[in-house]
């Protein structure tokens, strides 16, 4: 019994002694300073190229190596951290276990020079500092040291602006190009930003093409922007940044799809500056419209020399400005005229971006209704603007017009048959022209309305029976209608050709409207504007000339030969629908 007790006691003491030795060993390992090394994937590095900064912490198998996770924020001063990763490697060499913790950072420099990456804290442990040299890029946008030969860049950015000086609120064209001889992946290009926070920046176009520089063929990606500065002074367009992977490898297995291959590259364009001039002191800022070209275009839905009293006629005025956005175009005001009601509709605006710039359009439709026969004079409309090509003030003018109202048409019938610009206007016009009904007449008509309701119910029942019978012959009726429409189109076209050959503008307009109703299969067509919006650009231009000759104050003689030739060569309409709300092209190519 005594021997067993002594034996157990010896075992316990041995275990306690072993645990004591292990605790001393681990405390010694924990108190030892961590072995931290730092290195780079290459040094020096190019401004445009990414590189890796690698931190390694060596320790025993059971040791953590460092007190805490590292704080890499001091690196942000001179470098952008693109990504970071951590890994652990273990090894057994000559009877000793070894563990290595690795932190790997992908960096790209912010500028050229020599920079010291400061010591990084790993809790109480500190890494050594390291110096990194950043050299200039081979990009043509970078300034090379004096007398140093440059190597043709495989990928670079170009930035430019169309003029060194321009007017405030006018259009500047900014161009950014990416030129490359290498393949790219995961590419992105930042948007331009200026030092004018209120500047309007609109993208115009982007395209891919090839070009040759110094005998080297480049693939080019180009973007164009229209910039409208809102204050005078120096306008600076900050550098645009490209980021992507160069020469990515082809995925060989399904797992390669998830790996990021190729060298990560970041390019910066040069900043671009231009001078923005203030508007001339002699011009009121409310009238300041700097444009390359500005037009006032007027069109009418009917002959204004022969308007029926109480019937509406639509006047369409379009402001078209090359080098201005639609939001910069002013509203137009219309003077009140005794005996002539005017109902302007809400303006329709549109921006048409092209490679050469933006064309802003604002279209205003006004319904005019003469209340009594006679002549009405519409005053001229003037719009002052500044020509940025000639640097001179100009004025766009619509001359005064005289409307002649004849006859005494039934106002109520005219309004309900001829739709106006919008339902809101219709309701207002009907309200203005209604004859008030007395309460007595309403009371006396109760019996009348009962009989009328019964008559409508009977008529509805008869209609339903007829529709059921008619459905059996629906397809043959459609074919017959199609044949009739074909004959009518030829007859209507012959009438247009006849009157155009006789140089009769008024009869040509009437015949053209009738032809369009049949050709486009739309009975709502009632003016030349709707036709010009849907035909070929050449014919549309000649239709506008016809329209202008009809309403010109000088009563110009119209020559229909060119119109006749264009009309005969017009392709078949094929039932093309009319879109009366769309704006037609301003400039025909």
């Amino acid at each position: 019994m005594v021997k067993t007790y002594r034996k157990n006691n010896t075992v316990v003491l041995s275990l306690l002694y072993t645990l004591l030795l292990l605790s001393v060993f681990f405390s010694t390992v924990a108190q030892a300073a961590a072995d931290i090394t730092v290195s780079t994937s290459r040094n020096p590095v190019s401004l445009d190229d990414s590189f890796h900064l690698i931190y390694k912490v060596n320790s025993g198998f059971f040791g953590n190596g460092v007190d805490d996770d590292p704080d890499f924020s001091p690196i942000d001063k001179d470098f952008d951290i693109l990504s970071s990763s951590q890994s652990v490697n273990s090894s057994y060499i000559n009877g000793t276990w070894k563990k290595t913790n690795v932190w790997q950072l992908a960096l790209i420099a912010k500028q050229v020079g020599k920079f010291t990456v400061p010591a990084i804290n790993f809790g109480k442990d500190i890494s050594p500092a390291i110096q990194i040299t950043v050299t200039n890029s081979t990009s043509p946008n970078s300034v090379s040291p004096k007398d140093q030969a440059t190597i043709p860049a495989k990928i670079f950015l170009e930035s430019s602006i169309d003029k060194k000086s321009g007017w405030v609120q006018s259009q500047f064209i900014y161009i950014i190009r990416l030129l490359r001889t290498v393949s790219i992946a995961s590419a992105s290009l930042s948007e331009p930003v200026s030092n004018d926070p209120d500047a309007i920046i609109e993208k115009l176009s982007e395209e891919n093409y090839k070009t040759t520089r110094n005998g080297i063929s480049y693939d080019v990606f180009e973007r164009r922007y229209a910039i409208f500065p809102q204050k005078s002074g120096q306008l600076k367009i900050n550098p645009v940044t490209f980021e992507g992977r160069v020469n990515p490898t082809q995925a060989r297995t399904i797992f390669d799809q998830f790996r990021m291959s190729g060298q990560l590259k970041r390019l910066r364009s040069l900043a671009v500056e231009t001078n923005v001039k203030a508007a001339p002191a002699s011009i009121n800022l409310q009238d300041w419209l700097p444009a390359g070209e500005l037009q006032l275009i007027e069109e009418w839905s009917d002959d204004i020399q022969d308007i029926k009293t109480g019937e509406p006629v639509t006047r369409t005025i379009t402001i078209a400005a090359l080098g201005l956005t639609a939001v910069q175009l002013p509203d137009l005001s219309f003077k009140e005229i005794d005996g002539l009601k005017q109902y302007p509709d809400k303006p329709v605006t549109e921006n048409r971006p092209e490679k050469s710039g933006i064309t802003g359009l604002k279209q205003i439709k006004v319904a005019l209704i003469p209340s009594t026969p006679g002549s009405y004079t519409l005053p001229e409309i003037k719009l002052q603007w500044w020509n940025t090509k000639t640097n001179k003030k100009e004025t766009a003018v619509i001359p005064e017009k005289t409307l002649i109202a004849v006859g005494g048409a039934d106002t109520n019938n005219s309004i309900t048959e001829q739709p106006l610009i919008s339902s809101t206007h219709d309701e207002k016009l009907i309200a203005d022209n209604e004859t008030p009904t007395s309460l007595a007449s309403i009371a006396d008509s109760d019996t009348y309305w009962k009989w009328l309701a019964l008559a409508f119910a009977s008529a509805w029942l008869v209609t339903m029976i007829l529709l059921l019978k008619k459905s059996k012959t629906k397809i043959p009726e459609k074919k017959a209608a199609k044949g009739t429409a074909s004959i009518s189109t030829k007859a209507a076209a012959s009438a247009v050709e006849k009157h155009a050959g006789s140089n009769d503008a008024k009869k040509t307009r009437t015949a053209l409207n009738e032809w369009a109703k049949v050709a486009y299969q739309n009975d709502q067509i009632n003016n030349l504007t709707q036709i010009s919006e849907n035909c070929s650009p050449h014919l549309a231009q000649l239709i506008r000339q016809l329209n202008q000759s009809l309403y010109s104050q000088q009563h110009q003689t119209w020559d229909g030969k060119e119109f006749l030739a264009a009309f005969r060569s017009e392709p078949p309409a094929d039932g093309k629908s009319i879109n009366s709300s769309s704006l037609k092209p301003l400039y025909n190519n």
Side-chain angles (χ1 to χ4, degrees):
M1 185 72 178
V2 174
K3 289 182 179 180
T4 304
Y5 173 76
R6 287 179 178 176
K7 186 177 181 180
N8 291 338
N9 191 30
T10 302
V11 172
V12 171
L13 290 174
S14 298
L15 288 173
L16 290 173
Y17 181 71
T18 303
L19 290 172
L20 179 62
L21 289 176
L22 288 173
S23 64
V24 171
F25 169 76
F26 284 126
S27 63
T28 303
V29 171
Q31 291 173 3
D35 179 17
I36 304 176
T37 61
V38 58
S39 62
T40 61
S41 57
R42 60 184 183 281
N43 193 3
V45 298
S46 172
L47 175 65
D48 295 339
D49 294 337
S50 63
F51 65 99
H52 290 96
L53 185 64
I54 304 159
Y55 290 87
K56 291 184 179 180
V57 178
N58 298 313
S59 64
F61 185 76
F62 296 101
N64 292 326
V66 291
D67 294 333
D68 203 351
D69 290 333
D71 176 16
F72 293 126
S73 59
I75 299 176
D76 288 332
K77 178 183 177 183
D78 300 311
F79 300 89
D80 286 329
I81 301 177
L82 305 178
S83 63
S84 63
S85 63
Q86 182 183 2
S87 61
V88 179
N89 299 321
S90 299
S91 61
Y92 183 79
I93 303 174
N94 297 327
T96 303
W97 283 99
K98 191 176 182 181
K99 184 174 70 172
T100 304
N101 284 34
V102 181
W103 284 266
Q104 188 165 256
L105 308 179
L107 305 180
I108 195 163
K110 294 182 178 180
Q111 55 187 329
V112 175
K114 290 185 178 181
F115 305 98
T116 298
V117 177
I120 299 300
N121 293 324
F122 289 72
K124 294 180 181 179
D125 296 304
I126 301 176
S127 74
I130 185 173
Q131 190 177 72
I132 298 175
T133 301
V134 180
T135 60
N136 212 344
S137 167
T138 56
S139 169
N141 273 342
S142 303
V143 180
S144 299
K146 191 174 182 181
D147 299 328
Q148 180 178 324
T150 60
I151 301 172
K154 294 181 179 179
I155 181 169
F156 59 94
L157 289 172
E158 281 185 350
S159 55
S160 62
I161 201 161
D162 66 333
K163 46 182 174 279
K164 295 180 179 179
S165 180
W167 298 97
V168 67
Q169 297 181 358
S170 69
Q171 177 178 259
F172 291 77
I173 305 296
Y174 174 76
I175 306 169
I176 183 74
R177 297 186 184 94
L178 174 70
L179 294 91
R180 61 184 176 88
T181 60
V182 294
S183 58
I184 57 176
S186 304
S188 63
L189 195 64
S190 65
E191 296 294 315
V193 177
S194 76
N195 62 341
D196 181 357
D198 299 321
I200 301 172
I201 302 179
E202 298 281 349
K203 187 166 78 171
L204 296 174
S205 64
E206 59 180 39
E207 60 177 331
N208 293 282
Y209 58 91
K210 290 184 177 291
T211 189
T212 301
R213 302 283 179 87
N214 299 321
I216 300 175
S217 177
Y218 289 94
D219 290 310
V220 183
F221 174 76
E222 177 185 286
R223 276 185 185 168
R224 288 174 176 254
Y225 295 85
I227 300 180
F228 301 86
Q230 301 301 301
K231 63 180 182 180
S232 57
Q234 200 72 10
L235 177 68
K236 180 180 179 181
I237 313 300
N238 298 331
V240 168
T241 302
F242 163 85
E243 189 171 300
R245 294 190 175 272
V246 176
N247 288 330
T249 57
Q250 187 71 26
R252 297 179 180 178
T253 68
I254 188 172
F255 299 103
D256 291 339
Q257 302 289 343
F258 304 99
R259 298 174 184 172
M260 301 296 288
S261 63
Q263 181 190 0
L264 184 62
K265 203 171 188 69
R266 178 182 291 181
L267 306 174
R268 298 174 182 85
S269 68
L270 290 179
V272 175
E273 294 186 0
T274 186
N275 182 47
V276 180
K277 298 181 289 186
S282 59
I283 295 181
N284 190 335
L285 289 179
Q286 294 179 347
D287 300 327
W288 178 242
L289 287 174
E293 184 177 352
L294 189 143
Q295 296 180 13
L296 282 177
I297 304 168
E298 179 189 45
E299 293 177 295
W300 293 88
S301 63
D302 211 337
D303 185 359
I304 61 175
Q305 302 298 312
D306 187 20
I307 304 175
K308 296 293 187 295
T309 303
E311 290 188 355
V313 61
T314 301
R315 184 189 198 188
T316 303
I317 298 176
T318 304
I319 308 172
L322 181 62
L324 285 176
T325 60
V327 72
Q328 293 175 277
L329 301 178
D331 292 326
L332 298 178
S333 58
F334 302 94
K335 294 183 179 180
E336 292 186 3
I337 300 173
D338 292 339
L340 186 67
K341 296 179 181 180
Q342 301 184 67
Y343 299 95
D345 198 14
K346 183 180 179 180
V348 177
T349 58
E350 181 185 349
N351 285 330
R352 289 186 179 165
E354 296 179 0
K355 191 175 179 180
S356 58
I358 281 181
T359 298
L361 301 115
K362 176 175 281 190
Q363 189 179 81
I364 305 103
K365 288 181 179 287
V366 185
L368 298 94
I369 303 178
S371 56
T372 58
S375 62
Y376 301 89
T377 300
L378 303 179
E380 68 177 4
I381 297 176
K382 290 185 177 181
L383 188 58
Q384 180 180 290
W385 62 288
W386 183 266
N387 192 325
T388 57
K389 296 178 180 178
T390 62
N391 290 324
K392 292 181 180 179
K393 181 173 67 175
E394 296 190 18
T395 304
V397 180
I398 293 179
E400 72 172 26
K401 294 287 188 301
T402 300
L403 278 68
I404 299 177
V406 297
D410 187 344
T411 305
N412 289 332
N413 291 340
S414 299
I415 295 171
T416 54
E417 290 174 5
Q418 176 70 31
L420 292 180
I421 300 171
S422 67
S423 59
T424 304
H425 295 159
D426 289 341
E427 292 168 5
K428 184 174 182 181
L429 289 172
I430 293 171
D432 287 344
N433 291 280
E434 278 180 349
T435 303
T437 307
S438 65
L439 293 176
S441 62
I442 294 175
D444 292 341
S445 63
D446 283 348
T447 305
Y448 165 77
W449 286 112
K450 291 178 182 179
W451 284 107
L452 186 61
L454 182 60
F456 273 118
S458 302
W460 175 82
L461 185 60
V462 172
T463 302
M464 290 298 295
I465 295 171
L466 291 174
L467 286 173
L468 289 173
K469 291 182 178 181
K470 188 177 180 180
S471 61
K472 297 179 181 179
T473 57
K474 190 173 183 180
I475 295 176
E477 285 178 359
K478 280 189 175 181
K479 292 181 178 179
K482 185 175 181 181
T484 305
S486 178
I487 297 171
S488 300
T489 303
K490 293 179 181 179
S494 298
V496 174
E497 294 175 0
K498 174 185 175 183
H499 299 308
S502 302
N503 300 326
D504 192 326
K506 287 188 176 181
K507 290 184 179 179
T508 300
R509 178 195 60 196
T510 302
L512 196 60
N513 282 332
E514 294 302 319
W515 168 83
K517 287 179 182 179
V518 180
Y520 295 121
Q521 298 179 17
N522 191 330
D523 292 335
Q524 300 301 319
I525 299 175
N526 53 24
N527 60 69
L528 298 181
T529 301
Q530 292 173 303
I531 302 173
S532 63
E533 288 170 352
N534 293 272
C535 63
S536 66
H538 181 52
L539 183 61
Q541 182 180 1
L542 296 174
I543 289 175
R544 286 196 289 273
Q545 292 177 5
L546 168 64
N547 204 38
Q548 290 171 2
S549 69
L550 288 167
Y551 306 127
S552 172
Q553 295 290 104
Q554 288 77 25
H555 301 289
Q556 302 172 353
T557 301
W558 178 67
D559 187 354
K561 291 181 181 178
E562 187 178 359
F563 171 86
L564 182 57
F567 179 78
R568 285 173 173 168
S569 61
E570 183 73 4
D574 248 352
K576 183 179 178 182
S577 62
I578 295 293
N579 182 5
S580 59
S581 63
S582 63
L583 297 175
K584 61 181 180 300
L586 174 62
Y587 305 107
N588 297 318
N589 295 326

